[in-house]
């Protein structure tokens, strides 16, 4: 089982990195475009705060979000707030999430996430870590995919490679880094396509970030097109 204690510690560290970086911004910077099309930096910060509260709902057995419309409405409502309000909300919502994980509980139980997706409770802290660290990169304030902790990058590649497994629209594909790490993704069958590059480059492609595969080398066929996350 996933080590949720370790992952919760990583969530705290990632949140501290984020808060330190965001505190150096100003209100004007919040209104500037992020790396995510259609979202300002304020949209990302609002999403991160509301995601923390949504995961509290997950741990307490409620629907993660009231609805997709309510989720989007809350993000749009909060995106334009001043920096200090964003910082306070990020701190407070993050603290609420961590407080929900502190009581004794069955970490092997199944919980329901967004869109009917289910997972073990023990895996939820890593999902929060992904939200915090990957969206920190999305803010476009100097924290890059290459800056992500190596453990995070390897685990997120594994998670996303598994996500695209058994998808008929994605051909059987092997992934490889120069130091010999390998993964497999796509539909069943012997991989005919091999995608090679740095771990950060592979993560950019799998997550639809950065250069989205431009830095990768592909043999056996073109770079597969992945569905949106």
């Amino acid at each position: 089982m996933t080590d949720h204690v370790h992952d919760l510690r990583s969530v705290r560290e990632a949140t501290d990195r984020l808060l330190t970086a965001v505190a150096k911004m100003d209100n004007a910077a919040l209104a500037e475009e992020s790396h995510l099309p259609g979202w300002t930096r304020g949209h990302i910060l609002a999403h991160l705060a509301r995601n923390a509260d949504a995961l509290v709902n997950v741990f307490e057995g409620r629907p993660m979000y009231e609805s997709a419309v309510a989720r989007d409405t809350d993000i749009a409502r909060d995106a334009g707030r001043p920096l200090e309000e964003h910082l306070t909300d990020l701190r407070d919502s993050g603290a609420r999430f961590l407080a929900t994980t502190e009581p004794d509980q069955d970490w092997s139980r199944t919980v329901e996430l967004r869109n009917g997706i289910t997972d073990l409770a023990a895996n939820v802290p890593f999902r929060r870590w992904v939200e915090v660290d990957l969206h920190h990169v999305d803010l476009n304030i100097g924290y890059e995919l290459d800056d992500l902790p190596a453990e995070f990058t390897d685990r997120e590649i594994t998670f996303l490679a598994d996500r695209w497994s058994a998808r008929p629209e994605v051909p059987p594909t092997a992934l490889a880094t120069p130091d010999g790490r390998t993964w497999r993704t796509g539909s069943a069958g012997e991989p005919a396509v091999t995608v090679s590059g740095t771990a950060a480059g592979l993560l950019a492609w799998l997550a639809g970030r950065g250069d989205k595969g431009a830095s990768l080398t592909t043999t056996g066929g073109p770079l597969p097109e992945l569905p949106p996350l």
Side-chain angles (χ1 to χ4, degrees):
M1 182 182 293
T2 301
D3 184 351
H4 64 275
V5 175
H6 166 80
D7 288 348
L8 286 167
R9 184 165 58 249
S10 297
V11 169
R12 292 184 181 92
E13 293 169 355
T15 302
D16 287 344
R17 280 195 298 274
L18 175 71
L19 289 169
T20 298
V22 171
K24 298 175 183 178
M25 299 169 62
D26 57 27
N27 290 330
L30 288 175
E32 294 174 356
E33 290 298 310
S34 70
H35 281 315
L36 296 182
W39 270 18
T40 65
R41 292 170 176 143
H43 282 87
I44 289 178
L45 299 182
H47 163 63
L48 281 169
R50 301 289 68 77
N51 173 263
D53 285 337
L55 292 177
V56 171
N57 290 336
V58 168
F59 273 113
E60 295 183 349
R62 296 186 296 273
M64 186 169 178
Y65 293 102
E66 180 181 332
S67 67
V69 171
R71 170 186 176 274
D72 294 345
T73 299
D74 287 348
I75 293 171
R77 178 198 66 206
D78 295 343
R81 296 176 302 180
L83 176 63
E84 285 305 316
E85 289 186 27
H86 276 294
L87 285 169
T88 298
D89 196 13
L90 284 168
R91 291 192 193 97
D92 291 350
S93 60
R96 287 192 293 270
F97 167 73
L98 291 173
T100 307
T101 70
E102 291 173 356
D104 290 337
Q105 55 192 289
D106 179 10
W107 287 94
S108 67
R109 74 188 187 279
T110 298
V111 295
E112 184 171 342
L113 300 163
R114 190 181 173 204
N115 298 327
I117 294 173
T118 59
D119 202 349
L120 298 180
N123 293 334
V124 173
F126 180 67
R127 287 178 176 270
R128 176 60 182 173
W129 184 10
V130 170
E131 291 287 330
V132 175
D133 246 351
L134 203 53
H135 282 317
H136 189 167
V137 173
D138 292 333
L139 283 172
N140 188 22
I141 55 175
Y143 188 65
E144 306 295 340
L145 289 169
D146 285 323
D147 298 319
L148 292 166
E151 177 203 353
F152 172 92
T153 299
D154 283 1
R155 287 178 63 185
E156 183 64 355
I157 290 173
T158 299
F159 175 82
L160 291 172
D162 182 67
R163 177 169 182 161
W164 304 134
S165 293
R167 294 290 294 264
E169 67 270 38
V170 182
T173 304
L175 313 177
T177 58
D179 57 5
R181 286 172 290 169
T182 60
W183 295 265
R184 187 201 180 286
T185 194
S187 52
E190 188 66 23
V193 178
T194 298
V195 179
S196 304
T198 65
L202 291 172
L203 177 58
W205 172 58
L206 290 166
R209 258 72 173 190
D211 61 18
K212 300 182 182 179
S215 64
L216 302 175
T217 299
T218 306
T219 57
L223 183 69
E225 184 174 343
L226 301 175
L229 283 173

